[in-house]
Structures are given as C-alpha cells and as structure tokens.
Amino acid sequence: MPTERILLVGVNHTSAPLAVREKMALTGGYEEPLQRLSTIPGCREYYLLSTCNRVELLLVAEPGAQLEDELIRFLFGGRISAEKCREYIYIYYDEKAVRHLFMVATSLDSMIIGEAQILGQLKEAYRHASRQHSTGPLLNRLLHKSFSVAKRVRSETGIGSSAVSISYAAVQLAKKIFGSLKDKKVLLVGAGEMAELAAEHLVGQGVDEVVVANRTLSRAVDLAKRFNGTAVSLEELVLQLERVDILISSTGASGIILHKDQVRPVMRLRRNKPLFLIDIAVPRDLDPGLNDLENVFVYDIDDLTSVVELNKSEREKEAVKAGRIVDEEVLKFQRWYKGMDVTPTIAAMRKKADDICRMELEKTLPRLQCLSDKERQSVEKMAAAIISKILYDPLVFLKQDSCKHDSKVKVDMLRTIFGLEDDNE
Amino acid sequence: MMTEISYLLFQTVLAVTFLACAAYVVFFISRNKKVRTIARWILIASGILQTLSLISRALLTGYAPVTSQHEAIAFFAWATTWAYLSFRWRYTVKNFGTFASLLILILLMISAAVSREPAPLVPALQSWWLPVHAGVSFVAYGFLALAFCGGLMYLLQEKELKSKRFGYFFSRLPSLDALDQLNSHCLTAGFLFLTLGIITGTMWAHQAWGSYWQWDPKETWSLITWFIYLIQVHQRITGGWRGKRAAVMAILGFSAVVFTLWGVTFLLGGVHSYAH
C-alpha cells in the first residue's frame, strides 16, 4: 500500500506544439477515456483534464515504468513513437504533482496568466470523474483543495484585475484620457461585433450616450436600440464628431473614412475637448495622421494589442505573489497527506481519546473531594479502560489488511468519524 | 537667541520637507496608500514649521521676511506648500504631491544655499504694504508653481498616450482630464492673486515714491508675466485652450515668474533688488 503515489502526466501548450496536441487521442467527452483509464492496472484513483491547451492525467497509483508507458499510450494512442512522446510530456510525482495541479487551477500555468476559464474547466472535469467514481479520498481532497487555492489567489492577488482584452484596453485608455466616463458620448461607426463588445464595456463604465452610424441604417437602428441610443447615417459622421467624445470604428470599408483635414476644423468647434478615436477595423478606417492633432488620440488594433501586452506583464508581477500562495498550500497539503497513513492516524486517534479523558477527569475529580487516593486512581483507570475498549474495534479495522477496503479509504473514513480533520490550523 | 531659533527652525523645515518628499517618492514607486497618508501628514507638519520659521525670521529682522534672497525663496516655498495643501483639501490628483513636494524641496534647498544674512530695508520701504504686496504675490507664485507641476505631468502623460509606448509614468500619472482641471484651477487662483499683487504693488509704489508705475525692470517683467497669464486665462475661456497648449503655457508662464523673481535681480537690477 505505501508504494502508491500521486502521479501527474500531461501535455500543455509549452511542452508540445499544437501539431502534437492535435494528435492527442482524447477528443469528445470524458466518459470514454475515463472508462479506458480504469482498465489500466495499478490506477486506484484517476482524473482527466482536457482543454484546448492541455491534457492532463492525475492518478493515485503504484508507479513504475510500465505504468508510465501505459499512460503515454493512453494519451497519444500510439500515433507517435514512445520515445518522441517522452519529449512532449511531463511526469510529476507527489509534491511536484500537487504543485502542478495548483499552478493549473490558479491559472499560473495558463497561456494567459490570470484567465478565469481554467478553474471552470477543472471543475467540469472533476464532475465527470466523480460521476464515474474514479476519484477517491485522496483526489477528492486534492481537487477540492485546488479549487480553494484558486479562490484564495484570486482574492489575495491582483492577478485577474488588469485588462487583457482589446475592449478592456479601450476602456482603460479612455479613463486615462477622460478620467470619468460618466458624461461622455460614444459613436459606433460600423456595427461589427468587436465594436459592440467595446461599446458594452464602455456603457458598463457609465457612458452617457451611444450613437450608431452604419451604412445600412436598419442595422444601426437595431444596435442603437440595444444601448438605448440613437442611429445616424454614415454621412453625418463629421457632424456627429462635434458632440461625441469616443469613436469606435469598425467598418468593412477598403479605405480611410476619416481624414485629418476633416477633423481639424471640428476640434475648433469642440473647443479642443479631447477626442478618443479607436480604429478596430482591418484595413484601417481612420487616418493615422489624426494622432498628430492636438487633443486627438488615435488607437488602432495594434496599439490596443500593445496595451494588452503591457497588462499581461503587470499580471506576471502578481503571479509571483500567487506562486508564494501556491507554495504555502502545497506545504499544507503535504502535511495532511502524511497524516493519511495508518500509523499517524492511530496516534492521532489515541491522542484525541486521551485528551478527552484527561479533560473530563480534571473537570470531575476536584468535585469529588470525599474520594481517597486509591479510589481516585480507580476512577482514572476506569476512564482509561473505557477509552481503550471503545477504540479497540476501530483500530483493528484500520490495521487489518483486507482487500475489500483500500487503506486510504479506511483512514479517511476514521479521520472523518473521529473528527481528526483539523489540519488547517 | 532669535538668530539661533530661526536657524534651527529652518534646518528642521529642510529635514521635514525632505522626509515628506522622500515619502511621496516612495509612494510614487510602491503605490502603497499608507505611505501616501504618512507623506501628507509630514508635508502638513512641514507647512506649519515653515510658518513658524517665517514668523521667527520676522521677529528677528523686524519686518516681513522677504527682503533677502534667502527669505524670498523660503517665502516662495511656504506659499507653494500652502497653495498645495489648500488645493489638496478640495481636489485629489493622483501623485500630484510627489511633484509638488519635489518642487518645494528644491526651493528650500536653494534658499538654504544662499546667504542668510538679513538685508536691511531702506526706511522708505518700511511700510505695511510690504507684507501685503509680497504675501499676495507669493501666494500667486505658489499657485502658478503648482500649475507648472501640473503642466509637466500633463506633458509626460500626453507623451505616453500619443506615442503609445507605455512606460513607467503611464499607470502612475492621473488622467489628462484631471491634470487639465488642475491647470484650470491653479491658473484661476494664481492669476487672481497675481493681479492683486500688481495692484498692491502700485499702491505701495505710490506711497513710497509718489508714482504708481515707474517702469523699473521688475515692474516691467511682472507686467509681462501678468500678460502671459492673461492671454492664457482669456484663451481658456473664449478659445477653449486646454490640454497640451495649456500645459505648455503654464510652463512658459512659470519660467517668466522665475525670471521676474531672479533673472531681473541678477541681470537688470532696480528698486526691487534684494540685498543691496
């Protein structure tokens, strides 16, 4: 029994190129692969995670070269030679496996650090595994722990706070120009999905009014209705520039639709109030020269992407903090894991019983003043005897090697029944 | 006795202001809000100590302490400190304190570097117009110095936004709108006091020399400065001058202020010259 270890085998976006990940045998649902895993000898508990960036197996099993080969065959389906496969995968045992799982759950191992999706995918995978009863006391504990670690990282670090999408970047820039967006007006030129998304974010920040200009007016009217705004025709573009503050352009036009010379006179009419022009169309809609005008700020899709990159590096700083939390939690889990053996469990049960016995005696004996020393000793003996008789059967159950029960299951059961779970300080 | 007290007070002011400035710089780098609160309290302490220092100097010399270079610059620092604190009381502009406290520290350091000998005042100028005229003018300079700081911050932030290369300052500086409003508030207050300064100056001149205006170089330059700010205020109201142009004008205007204060004294001379 003690030879069983926690084992994690997997492939992710850094260990294997997309071409290899595409060949991975695991497509479709979780049921069939989990079924196949159960046939591999030596796997006591198992769990499988499959996302577009990673495929990972987490097992409690008796390790050995043979098991590793089996798992590799399971992952790659024999489509790539075994030696080649070893270059793409990572195999972690025990503490390292736990750490890796926590890193995945907290998104520290993701392509975009701080993304929130992975936790949902992890929970989904766990749901499938527990439905098939493939997880036992160890993995249940471990996976639940990984969820709470992810939660802790999210609340204690700023890892998920900075904007890593184009539309968030637009909001962030708008705030650096205007301060508050409360009384600002937005003009959407073209009714693309991206523009709609960006407008949604701006409205979420309290933008006052949304105006939609589109070649086909009906589409403009539809979109305007969504934001309680107004629709105008594309010919009114320059006229509208007098009163809006932010413009998001995403038309399919083949050329520039707004030139520097058209905007220059508008700025005088606007009394130089700043104008934030966002061009998310490819090819570009707005003249890049507009950026030279005073109080006009033009950002195209590449510029916004660079803001996103900047935010990513900001997140990486927070990731250091998150890494420390993960370290802490791995340590805590290791402490719990060590206690999951038979011997420490027996000791913990005895200690708990002895503690209760001692406390009760200390409470009762001072009140029994009439007792002689000898009688007092008898009472103490009696209490100790009760304790050991009650503990006798559970201890026998724990120690016996039956093939019906896994020792980990037994340990877990007794630890739960006797309330020995207060390992979290 | 008074000399020692005055000297010690000034040294304390210098040390406390240095601490305030250091705390603000730490806040600028670390963005730890607790540090900012500490920095603000130290700056308030510095403001109070500067007031005491000026009073001790006034007791020492017997008149408003603005007649020597040392006193004038210390007075300037005092005015800037209180202009900042009064501004801070009404408005919040992210990291403005770092820039303002740095300017105050620089002023105090210049003041510490020049001779601290009191400059005797000719009897003709010993009048209660002296503290009024100097006080009002320096408060104006204080606000205009703040507008200058705001202008620098605006140019830094605008450069990041226009070039789209986001460096160290981007996340640490406030929004352009906040900086533009800072410019507007400080300019309005500064211009008001500047106008009062010139009016009280002419009154005093009339009392001392019998004529309101005598085209002394300092008077001429004050008028030039005043016109620079007049154009700014006028254009802001009528033409919508704002943003970068306003920031550049605030910096230009402040250079005129600095020239009026020192350039004129060293290069051109005249009745306003200190320590003659």
Side-chain angles (χ1 to χ4, degrees):
Chain A
M1 289 304 159
T3 55
E4 278 185 350
R5 296 168 75 182
I6 300 172
L7 165 66
L8 189 142
V9 184
V11 194
N12 68 10
H13 55 96
T14 52
S15 78
L18 184 64
V20 172
R21 275 180 282 136
E22 275 170 350
K23 284 203 190 112
M24 307 279 291
L26 311 162
T27 42
Y30 277 103
E31 265 87 76
E32 186 267 334
L34 279 171
Q35 203 70 52
R36 264 196 301 136
L37 261 179
S38 68
T39 62
I40 296 177
C43 292
R44 184 173 296 282
E45 300 180 30
Y46 49 93
Y47 149 91
L48 166 71
L49 171 72
S50 170
T51 74
C52 49
N53 284 329
R54 68 180 70 245
V55 178
E56 283 182 357
L57 292 172
L58 183 62
L59 311 164
V60 176
E62 275 173 59
Q66 203 198 336
L67 178 72
E68 285 181 12
D69 288 342
E70 287 265 10
L71 294 175
I72 288 166
R73 207 166 312 129
F74 169 80
L75 281 172
F76 291 93
R79 261 167 265 186
I80 302 173
S81 72
E83 298 85 66
K84 259 258 155 39
C85 292
R86 287 220 172 235
E87 283 173 29
Y88 297 130
I89 60 164
Y90 40 84
I91 302 178
Y92 297 122
Y93 284 100
D94 300 330
E95 192 183 329
K96 279 189 182 144
V98 173
R99 179 184 310 274
H100 184 82
L101 176 72
F102 287 178
M103 295 288 271
V104 170
T106 53
S107 85
L108 292 176
D109 197 55
S110 296
M111 202 188 274
I112 299 167
I113 291 173
E115 55 119 348
Q117 256 181 4
I118 186 68
L119 187 60
Q121 291 164 334
L122 215 70
K123 284 181 176 167
E124 172 78 16
Y126 175 58
R127 218 171 5 251
H128 283 285
S130 63
R131 201 177 296 152
Q132 301 218 357
H133 305 291
S134 74
T135 55
L138 248 179
L139 286 196
N140 283 338
R141 173 79 181 200
L142 183 55
L143 287 162
H144 278 295
K145 196 75 208 165
S146 76
F147 304 152
S148 68
V149 175
K151 218 186 215 168
R152 194 180 151 201
V153 162
R154 214 147 261 285
S155 63
E156 288 180 24
T157 72
I159 200 164
S161 63
S162 43
V164 289
S165 73
I166 301 275
S167 42
Y168 273 119
V171 169
Q172 190 192 11
L173 286 167
K175 279 189 170 167
K176 273 290 175 199
I177 295 170
F178 299 111
S180 157
L181 302 181
K182 282 268 145 34
D183 51 349
K184 299 294 177 283
K185 297 180 176 62
V186 183
L187 172 61
L188 295 180
V189 184
E193 238 172 68
M194 278 268 260
E196 198 177 328
L197 199 66
E200 219 164 76
H201 281 304
L202 287 167
V203 169
Q205 294 295 322
V207 159
D208 188 43
E209 189 190 332
V210 177
V211 182
V212 185
N214 200 37
R215 200 161 294 283
T216 50
L217 199 63
S218 65
R219 174 86 180 100
V221 172
D222 285 348
L223 193 56
K225 215 180 277 168
R226 267 204 56 199
F227 297 113
N228 274 333
T230 46
V232 297
S233 78
L234 213 49
E235 283 69 43
E236 292 174 72
L237 177 59
V238 177
L239 211 66
Q240 285 294 326
L241 275 183
E242 270 178 49
R243 49 186 297 272
V244 300
D245 304 283
I246 301 168
L247 178 149
I248 304 172
S249 190
S250 64
T251 71
S254 57
I256 303 273
I257 61 163
L258 192 63
H259 289 274
K260 192 175 169 182
D261 296 332
Q262 289 172 283
V263 178
R264 200 196 307 270
V266 173
M267 287 314 283
R268 210 166 304 132
L269 294 170
R270 290 176 57 82
R271 297 171 54 84
N272 292 312
K273 269 193 303 175
L275 195 54
F276 182 27
L277 308 176
I278 305 163
D279 187 355
I280 46 183
V282 181
R284 285 189 281 194
D285 282 343
L286 309 178
D287 179 3
L290 279 165
N291 202 39
D292 302 334
L293 291 177
E294 232 177 81
N295 297 315
V296 177
F297 301 88
V298 183
Y299 277 77
D300 63 26
I301 193 100
D302 283 357
D303 302 329
L304 291 174
T305 311
S306 70
V307 176
V308 169
E309 288 302 317
L310 177 89
N311 287 336
K312 277 187 195 158
S313 65
E314 199 66 24
R315 279 189 178 197
E316 264 143 37
K317 272 182 226 148
E318 289 298 304
V320 176
K321 249 191 263 171
R324 184 186 43 74
I325 292 174
V326 166
D327 285 348
E328 242 177 76
E329 296 290 342
V330 169
L331 218 68
K332 269 195 211 165
F333 184 81
Q334 283 301 107
R335 211 182 303 148
W336 174 82
Y337 182 52
K338 288 212 181 88
M340 277 297 278
D341 255 355
V342 173
T343 327
T345 306
I346 292 171
M349 274 165 71
R350 284 238 164 88
K351 185 175 180 298
K352 176 149 190 182
D354 287 345
D355 284 351
I356 292 171
C357 181
R358 192 166 35 77
M359 253 171 55
E360 291 305 317
L361 283 173
E362 272 167 17
K363 239 195 287 177
T364 313
L365 286 179
R367 274 186 274 153
L368 303 174
Q369 295 292 344
C370 51
L371 292 187
S372 70
D373 276 358
K374 214 172 166 195
E375 284 166 325
R376 188 184 292 257
Q377 274 167 14
S378 310
V379 171
E380 281 172 8
K381 261 188 201 153
M382 181 194 72
I386 293 172
I387 287 294
S388 58
K389 290 224 162 108
I390 288 176
L391 285 185
Y392 180 75
D393 285 323
L395 288 180
V396 167
F397 169 72
L398 189 62
K399 282 179 197 160
Q400 88 194 157
D401 274 330
S402 84
C403 38
K404 227 166 73 195
H405 295 287
D406 170 14
S407 78
K408 289 278 188 275
V409 174
K410 290 195 285 190
V411 166
D412 189 50
M413 194 189 292
L414 284 180
R415 290 192 85 95
T416 314
I417 291 172
F418 282 88
L420 304 176
E421 288 301 313
D422 32 46
D423 59 314
N424 297 334
E425 273 91 60
Chain B
M1 177 61 187
M2 209 60 219
T3 321
E4 275 94 61
I5 292 177
S6 172
Y7 179 82
L8 271 177
L9 263 172
F10 186 80
Q11 294 308 101
T12 321
V13 162
L14 208 56
V16 171
T17 313
F18 177 77
L19 274 179
C21 187
Y24 269 120
V25 169
V26 169
F27 167 64
F28 192 78
I29 295 164
S30 73
R31 296 188 251 190
N32 182 336
K33 294 232 165 77
K34 244 183 258 161
V35 178
R36 184 180 60 187
T37 315
I38 295 168
R40 192 176 305 148
W41 282 108
I42 303 177
L43 192 67
I44 291 173
S46 157
I48 293 166
L49 282 166
Q50 285 185 56
T51 313
L52 292 176
S53 171
L54 289 184
I55 291 172
S56 76
R57 189 80 189 180
L59 291 174
L60 182 72
T61 55
Y63 42 79
V66 285
T67 51
S68 75
Q69 278 293 349
H70 168 72
E71 289 165 350
I73 303 167
F75 205 95
F76 193 175
W78 172 84
T80 312
T81 309
W82 285 102
Y84 171 75
L85 290 173
S86 69
F87 178 85
R88 181 61 194 70
W89 173 58
R90 294 266 325 260
Y91 309 99
T92 310
V93 175
K94 192 178 176 184
N95 270 321
F96 185 34
T98 312
F99 287 79
S101 67
L102 206 62
L103 182 74
I104 294 165
L105 182 65
I106 290 170
L107 286 172
L108 283 170
M109 274 160 63
I110 297 172
S111 168
V114 299
S115 161
R116 298 189 194 181
E117 275 304 302
L121 195 62
V122 279
L125 293 180
Q126 289 181 8
S127 144
W128 59 271
W129 278 112
L130 172 65
V132 174
H133 169 63
V136 167
S137 302
F138 274 115
V139 168
Y141 291 171
F143 277 107
L144 298 174
L146 292 185
F148 163 77
C149 284
L152 281 184
M153 288 166 80
Y154 187 97
L155 290 187
L156 277 173
Q157 183 69 304
E158 202 238 20
K159 197 172 148 272
E160 304 244 318
L161 274 163
K162 279 270 189 191
S163 69
K164 296 157 189 174
R165 247 171 283 144
F166 304 108
Y168 193 71
F169 290 110
F170 179 67
S171 55
R172 288 179 168 78
L173 289 179
S175 67
L176 291 182
D177 182 68
L179 290 170
D180 194 52
Q181 278 183 28
L182 184 158
N183 176 293
S184 164
H185 293 309
C186 291
L187 185 67
T188 313
F191 183 71
L192 192 79
F193 282 106
L194 196 65
T195 311
L196 282 174
I198 289 185
I199 293 171
T200 52
T202 56
M203 298 294 185
W204 186 19
H206 180 70
Q207 191 203 47
W209 299 303
S211 84
Y212 289 103
W213 199 269
Q214 41 186 349
W215 298 106
D216 159 84
K218 194 132 213 164
E219 288 175 358
T220 314
W221 274 96
S222 296
L223 201 64
I224 292 171
T225 309
W226 185 76
F227 268 113
I228 291 177
Y229 283 109
L230 176 71
I231 292 167
Q232 249 186 97
V233 171
H234 176 262
Q235 286 299 91
R236 187 176 258 285
I237 295 166
T238 61
W241 267 25
R242 54 158 79 213
K244 188 178 181 181
R245 210 171 300 179
V248 170
M249 283 302 279
I251 292 169
L252 259 177
F254 188 69
S255 342
V257 166
V258 170
F259 186 78
T260 310
L261 256 177
W262 292 300
V264 172
T265 312
F266 289 121
L267 299 176
L268 307 170
V271 286
H272 277 79
S273 297
Y274 315 105
H276 280 300

